[in-house]
Amino acid sequence: MERASSFVVRITSSSTSSLFFREDRSLLPRPTHQRSALRVRRALLGNSLYRRLFFWALASIFLLGLALRFTEPRLLRERVHDLTEFHDNAKSREDGEIPTKVVTVLTAGTETPEVPAWSPDMLNWLQFRHLDGFFVGLKALVPHSEYRPEHPRAAGEESPYPFTISYTGLPTPTPFVPQPDYASAEYRSQYHEVKTCYLDKDRKTRVPDTYAYHGVVQGQSEPVIGSHSLLGLRDDVCFDRFGRYGPYGLGYSFDEGGVEVGIDTEKEGSEAVWSRTGKINYENMDWGDAQTRCFESNKKRFVDASASNEPTPAKSGTSSGRPGHKHKIPRTAVVIRSYTGYRWTHHALLNFRALISELALRSGAEYGVHFLLHVRDDNEAIWADPATGQRILNENMPREFHSLCTLWSEDQMRLVYPGHFGSSFSNPSGADIHGVYRSAHLPLQVFAMNHPEYEHFWNWELDMRFLGNYYELFDRLGAWGRQQSRVGAWERSAKYYIPRYHGSWDNFTQVVHDETVASGRPAVFGPVTFPGRVPLRSELGGQSFIPASCARRTERARCGVGEEADLITLNPLFDAEDSGWVFASDVTGYPTDQPPPPRRSAIITASRLSRRLLAAMHEETWRMHHAMFSEMFPAAVALHHGLKAVYAPHPVSLDREWDLHAVDAAFNGGRDGSAGGAGSPFDLRNEHNHKGTSWYYNSEFAGLLWRRWLGYAQYDGRGPGGGRDGAGTLRGGREDEQRADGTGRMCLRSMLVHPIKWELPAEVEGYYKG
Ligand SMILES: *[C@@H]1O[C@H](CO)[C@@H](O)[C@H](O)[C@H]1NC(C)=O
């Protein structure tokens, strides 16, 4: 951890001048940091008279708009959990009695989707009504065995609406611990002891638990794409905002060491999440320091990269079987891509506190978290002058994360990867080959080469959230990747898995196999050949990335089972050729008088890359001067050299009641039933299908759902023409969740959401103005 690196200025806590600690220059001043949309406006509004005038004008326009809105007839009728029968318990509460039993009948939505006449066939999701179950609250929690989803349902299966719920007060959340039971005899017989890590130097404050509710909210939709149970994610628990973030500072004041967001939302029963630890004071937290201490006390557990060149053993351990032999485990880095100018918010702060706590500290340093901070101004002397580095940190990163930061710039990439890169088949963005837009992987390659202590690297972004516990997500994705056979892996990974449509994973595997056979194309296995292919040095030396066991015919089907995946993506690894994806031909350095090399791509760069994949990409870059667009290069290099790559079908929700045939037609509409080639959902003309998903760069549903879950009222994105962003009726938020006849705050099963461009309603202005 303390290694000095030759290229990258790493600012550690010890090199940080104490001057900066004494100064109260927190990046997130009290009260809550708010975004200012335009620089010009800020200057103009410096004068308080102008400011008052401006806000009066703004308020008048708003009120006028509001008046107009209410004079119009309502476009759509009320839909969400319309309560037809309710025994008011407000009175008994006033009398000081605890409500004993409340019976509520929830009815289904009555929305009639409006399909505008002009709508071409391609917007066929307009015909499906919006789902309501996502927004039902905790009072409708039922055991998993009683749960019936609003969607998807098999043909003939009855709707869960209307349903009656009975409850005695609110349910109570319990600690949710997805890490192995480190104290168990079983764990200790196989692995070295795990030393508990603490937030503070004095080892007094333990890293808190996250809390979950046992059960699922009745009627809530099931994810349509991907699956909890397939990946080993719990599908019988749900998370509310307090169980998720309360332990890290949500829901309490600055004076108590919290971040003062969430206090103004509905919060009945939220105190439970602080019952064991109290409200933790994060005021002087130094996460890098905590992470380093955690690693130091657990060093013995891990493969020592500097001590041996032997390949690291699989975590699951095909052990030597010697009694008393303890496995050492490889470590994984989570590298969060930050950049100068990013406006930190308290919600973002909470999210990364959670990520570091759950992944690095509660795992006894199995994971290490780092911020890779892109310094966008190439003129900054980030390698020459520590004071410059410190100033950039002060201006761009919350102080508590400073000691986790590595700074880099595009000029640095030009220095590390010099020379001529040849011509590109196409360059739609017109951007520079060393630039972050086309080559976001370059600094990750450099980071990996400078951090031999890690075997795998998660590339992560600031506008992603996991509604759930990060350890559960990353651990289960890694374990699932390890279990996958290499046989048919590229073909399965090229297709969205829709469990209610395809059946079990075995069914899906069969479907893909049949489609591959029918296509007449050979399945990919091992390195691919193509004109202009240049072998890696290791390949020239006779080495292969294919495990030796794969050569034995009898074991062929199990080839790769137990082998760590070199690449795990969170969207399909689709064939970019003919796909209509804008950057499909942004391929540089290969002979342009030949067809472009075969390649795969996965939209959204969030993925796990192995050290050996990053090393191959590094060599492709510096030695062969090869490059491809950011979302394509890792997958294409893995394809070319026979590395193991998988798309992990994590749970993704849809906002509308899609017919499952339509889901398959839209999302697997490419060549041979895949997501690639002609008809791909990543074709610019088809990408609109993703707007109602919970995980896609242009999703509008992800942010809406996330903010409702955080407790803020949102326009429900409904209305003529699809509505979506900022359209429809304002729903949710405190009044709605507190209503005596309401169901309380939302509780959702774990899911990834992206993109989250803003969270607090006060930030919205800046977002809409870009
Ligand atoms: C899945 O496979 C089983 C066993 O082969 C079969 O009975 C079932 O019909 C298949 N389901 C689907 C949806 O294809």
Side-chain angles (χ1 to χ4, degrees):
M1 299 290 288
E2 295 302 326
R3 275 180 90 254
S5 113
S6 47
F7 293 120
V8 184
V9 177
R10 300 187 65 228
I11 310 288
T12 63
S13 47
S14 54
S15 70
T16 307
S17 153
S18 59
L19 183 74
F20 293 104
F21 282 111
R22 255 182 278 124
E23 264 183 301
D24 191 12
R25 280 181 51 183
S26 167
L27 195 67
L28 293 163
R30 306 173 181 194
T32 305
H33 176 77
Q34 292 186 1
R35 299 172 63 145
S36 165
L38 296 167
R39 213 170 275 241
V40 186
R41 211 194 72 202
R42 204 190 306 165
L44 183 73
L45 297 179
N47 182 310
S48 71
L49 175 67
Y50 285 132
R51 191 157 49 203
R52 251 176 275 162
L53 275 172
F54 179 83
F55 286 118
W56 270 113
L58 209 68
S60 315
I61 293 168
F62 175 70
L63 287 173
L64 192 70
L66 214 63
L68 285 174
R69 172 175 289 277
F70 282 106
T71 54
E72 275 177 30
R74 279 286 167 95
L75 290 171
L76 295 167
R77 293 172 52 201
E78 285 290 312
R79 292 153 295 231
V80 179
H81 49 271
D82 206 10
L83 296 163
T84 56
E85 197 185 299
F86 181 74
H87 305 293
D88 191 0
N89 66 334
K91 177 125 192 5
S92 60
R93 252 167 237 249
E94 273 165 25
D95 297 345
E97 282 172 31
I98 295 167
T100 50
K101 199 151 200 185
V102 180
V103 181
T104 312
V105 178
L106 300 171
T107 61
T110 52
E111 178 192 11
T112 315
E114 301 186 25
V115 185
W118 50 264
S119 169
D121 279 348
M122 57 181 252
L123 294 181
N124 67 2
W125 41 264
L126 282 169
Q127 68 191 283
F128 306 122
R129 77 171 181 96
H130 283 91
L131 295 162
D132 296 311
F134 293 114
F135 309 104
V136 178
L138 266 173
K139 291 177 187 172
L141 197 73
V142 293
H144 188 251
S145 57
E146 290 170 27
Y147 160 71
R148 281 182 301 148
E150 177 186 18
H151 177 254
R153 300 194 309 270
E157 199 180 325
E158 272 180 30
S159 161
Y161 294 112
F163 62 83
T164 304
I165 52 167
S166 313
Y167 70 102
T168 311
L170 274 181
T172 310
T174 51
F176 180 76
V177 184
Q179 288 85 5
D181 183 358
Y182 298 129
S184 69
E186 197 203 340
Y187 188 89
R188 296 177 66 146
S189 69
Q190 289 195 53
Y191 301 101
H192 291 280
E193 185 188 350
V194 179
K195 294 279 204 302
T196 305
C197 298
Y198 297 83
L199 294 176
D200 59 328
K201 278 197 181 65
D202 300 336
R203 305 165 60 83
K204 292 213 171 80
T205 315
R206 281 182 173 245
V207 188
D209 285 319
T210 50
Y211 280 71
Y213 289 86
H214 275 269
V216 187
V217 170
Q218 187 60 293
Q220 193 169 92
S221 289
E222 263 188 0
V224 174
I225 293 168
S227 160
H228 286 93
S229 56
L230 177 68
L231 298 177
L233 300 169
R234 289 278 296 270
D235 63 357
D236 58 349
V237 297
C238 68
F239 301 87
D240 77 330
R241 53 183 169 270
F242 294 103
R244 172 79 195 94
Y245 285 141
Y248 309 113
L250 179 92
Y252 55 100
S253 68
F254 291 124
D255 290 338
E256 295 169 290
V259 294
E260 229 164 91
V261 290
I263 296 178
D264 56 347
T265 66
E266 190 281 336
K267 57 185 174 201
E268 189 184 349
S270 61
E271 295 290 326
V273 307
W274 303 295
S275 59
R276 292 198 189 181
T277 58
K279 291 171 177 168
I280 294 174
N281 187 334
Y282 286 94
E283 175 109 37
N284 294 311
M285 192 60 209
D286 179 344
W287 292 98
D289 194 38
Q291 177 169 285
T292 303
R293 279 186 274 111
C294 186
F295 172 70
E296 290 299 331
S297 59
N298 281 290
K299 239 179 185 160
K300 206 169 74 180
R301 299 176 60 206
F302 304 109
V303 177
D304 184 354
S306 58
S308 100
N309 287 322
E310 285 169 37
T312 52
K315 188 175 150 196
S316 52
T318 44
S319 77
S320 58
R322 267 186 290 131
H325 173 81
K326 303 272 170 94
H327 302 293
K328 289 199 182 240
I329 60 176
R331 300 185 70 211
T332 299
V334 179
V335 182
I336 303 151
R337 309 298 298 269
S338 181
Y339 50 90
T340 52
Y342 175 74
R343 290 171 194 269
W344 279 88
T345 64
H346 286 106
H347 278 107
L349 200 70
L350 285 174
N351 183 59
F352 291 104
R353 284 178 182 175
L355 188 144
I356 301 161
S357 299
E358 290 154 16
L359 283 172
L361 304 184
R362 285 297 293 264
S363 73
E366 181 186 347
Y367 290 81
V369 178
H370 300 264
F371 286 94
L372 201 47
L373 176 63
H374 177 197
V375 178
R376 296 205 281 190
D377 182 353
D378 279 324
N379 290 311
E380 292 284 13
I382 53 170
W383 321 316
D385 177 30
T388 299
Q390 185 60 53
R391 173 175 51 74
I392 289 167
L393 286 182
N394 293 345
E395 289 170 0
N396 293 284
M397 290 295 293
R399 195 172 50 191
E400 63 192 68
F401 298 143
H402 281 191
S403 50
L404 293 171
C405 290
T406 302
L407 278 55
W408 73 278
S409 71
E410 291 181 355
D411 261 359
Q412 182 194 359
M413 296 304 120
R414 292 183 185 100
L415 187 70
V416 179
Y417 297 115
H420 183 59
F421 276 72
S423 52
S424 309
F425 284 88
S426 85
N427 177 12
S429 66
D432 189 84
I433 198 69
H434 289 94
V436 70
Y437 192 67
R438 289 175 78 199
S439 296
H441 44 275
L442 299 187
L444 189 68
Q445 291 168 192
V446 175
F447 183 89
M449 298 306 108
N450 285 327
H451 286 272
E453 71 272 25
Y454 296 116
E455 195 56 33
H456 298 279
F457 298 80
W458 272 102
N459 191 54
W460 210 245
E461 291 171 20
L462 292 168
D463 57 354
M464 295 169 174
R465 302 283 181 268
F466 184 56
L467 199 163
N469 184 299
Y470 279 107
Y471 188 90
E472 189 189 39
L473 175 72
F474 285 119
D475 180 70
R476 306 309 189 261
L477 291 175
W480 185 81
R482 198 183 309 132
Q483 286 159 15
Q484 300 314 298
S485 164
R486 278 171 169 260
V487 177
W490 282 101
E491 289 71 29
R492 283 190 298 280
S493 296
K495 190 176 171 82
Y496 276 111
Y497 172 45
I498 307 159
R500 292 277 192 142
Y501 181 75
H502 294 119
S504 69
W505 185 251
D506 283 343
N507 287 129
F508 180 73
T509 302
Q510 188 63 43
V511 167
V512 175
H513 175 78
D514 294 346
E515 282 171 349
T516 307
V517 170
S519 74
R521 293 164 170 261
V524 175
F525 188 84
V528 297
T529 51
F530 56 90
R533 183 183 188 277
V534 184
L536 295 169
R537 283 176 169 173
S538 62
E539 291 169 320
L540 289 171
Q543 288 173 29
S544 159
F545 293 114
I546 309 285
S549 64
C550 296
R552 291 193 282 273
R553 266 192 171 280
T554 47
E555 290 172 35
R556 182 66 187 261
R558 292 188 56 78
C559 167
V561 175
E563 179 195 14
E564 289 285 347
D566 292 294
L567 178 64
I568 302 176
T569 62
L570 300 171
N571 267 322
L573 287 154
F574 68 99
D575 189 343
E577 191 67 36
D578 299 327
S579 66
W581 175 52
V582 180
F583 302 105
S585 300
D586 189 347
V587 176
T588 304
Y590 296 84
T592 45
D593 54 355
Q594 301 280 348
R599 59 216 183 278
R600 298 290 183 272
S601 184
I603 304 303
I604 304 184
T605 55
S607 49
R608 195 189 81 170
L609 294 81
S610 69
R611 157 169 303 286
R612 62 184 201 174
L613 172 57
L614 283 159
M617 291 160 61
H618 181 63
E619 187 179 336
E620 286 271 1
T621 311
W622 73 259
R623 191 162 75 86
M624 305 165 202
H625 289 112
H626 286 165
M628 291 183 203
F629 198 76
S630 304
E631 276 127 331
M632 192 154 57
F633 194 57
V637 170
L639 178 73
H640 293 178
H641 300 293
L643 290 143
K644 182 179 173 185
V646 292
Y647 149 53
H650 63 99
V652 173
S653 287
L654 301 181
D655 68 344
R656 290 176 182 253
E657 196 174 32
W658 282 72
D659 175 88
L660 295 185
H661 288 279
V663 178
D664 189 56
F667 290 87
N668 291 321
R671 196 190 57 227
D672 307 325
S674 78
S680 165
F682 308 110
D683 185 316
L684 190 62
R685 293 166 301 178
N686 295 335
E687 276 191 315
H688 60 82
N689 285 305
H690 287 89
K691 289 193 173 198
T693 68
S694 49
W695 179 258
Y696 201 67
Y697 80 89
N698 72 354
S699 164
E700 290 167 352
F701 180 53
L704 188 158
L705 185 66
W706 178 253
R707 290 183 289 271
R708 281 288 295 272
W709 175 82
L710 282 173
Y712 303 121
Q714 290 291 296
Y715 283 96
D716 61 10
R718 302 176 182 197
R724 306 272 178 178
D725 219 355
T729 308
L730 199 61
R731 288 173 190 283
R734 189 169 57 179
E735 280 74 40
D736 208 1
E737 292 179 354
Q738 280 180 342
R739 264 184 16 231
D741 60 349
T743 51
R745 62 179 172 274
M746 287 164 59
C747 194
L748 295 169
R749 285 186 287 183
S750 65
M751 67 164 86
L752 277 164
V753 284
H754 174 68
I756 304 304
K757 295 294 186 195
W758 55 280
E759 287 163 306
L760 204 63
E763 297 155 23
V764 69
E765 201 187 342
Y767 172 64
Y768 279 128
K769 290 188 179 163

